[in-house]
Amino acid sequence: MGSKIIKYHRTVTTYLETLVKRNFVIADIVEPTPSDNLKELPEMANEWRRPMMLIVKSIKQ
């Protein structure tokens, strides 16, 4: 990627509880998987089991 990337690993509970405790309502949660054309790449094998992203849509109450 050409840039240094710092990864922060948190539990799903940590992310969701933080939102809920701050009066957000969870509207949607998505764990994207690689597109079908990447399915055969060996480096993507774990991403089907353990997606590298979590997208949370929340609404402030």
Side-chain angles (χ1 to χ4, degrees):
M1 292 186 150
S3 300
K4 184 177 179 179
I5 297 173
I6 299 172
K7 295 181 180 181
Y8 296 96
H9 297 277
R10 308 277 191 278
T11 64
V12 173
T13 300
T14 299
Y15 289 117
L16 300 182
E17 278 189 349
T18 300
L19 290 168
V20 171
K21 286 179 181 178
R22 286 165 177 76
N23 298 316
F24 283 84
V25 173
I26 308 300
D28 199 11
I29 300 173
V30 178
E31 290 181 289
T33 56
S35 59
D36 286 339
N37 63 331
L38 299 176
K39 202 174 208 175
E40 301 304 319
L41 295 176
E43 61 269 24
M44 290 292 152
N46 280 335
E47 302 312 324
W48 292 95
R49 179 183 59 78
R50 175 190 45 84
M52 59 178 132
M53 287 185 278
L54 176 69
I55 301 171
V56 179
K57 178 181 179 181
S58 59
I59 301 165
K60 181 75 171 172
Q61 291 291 299

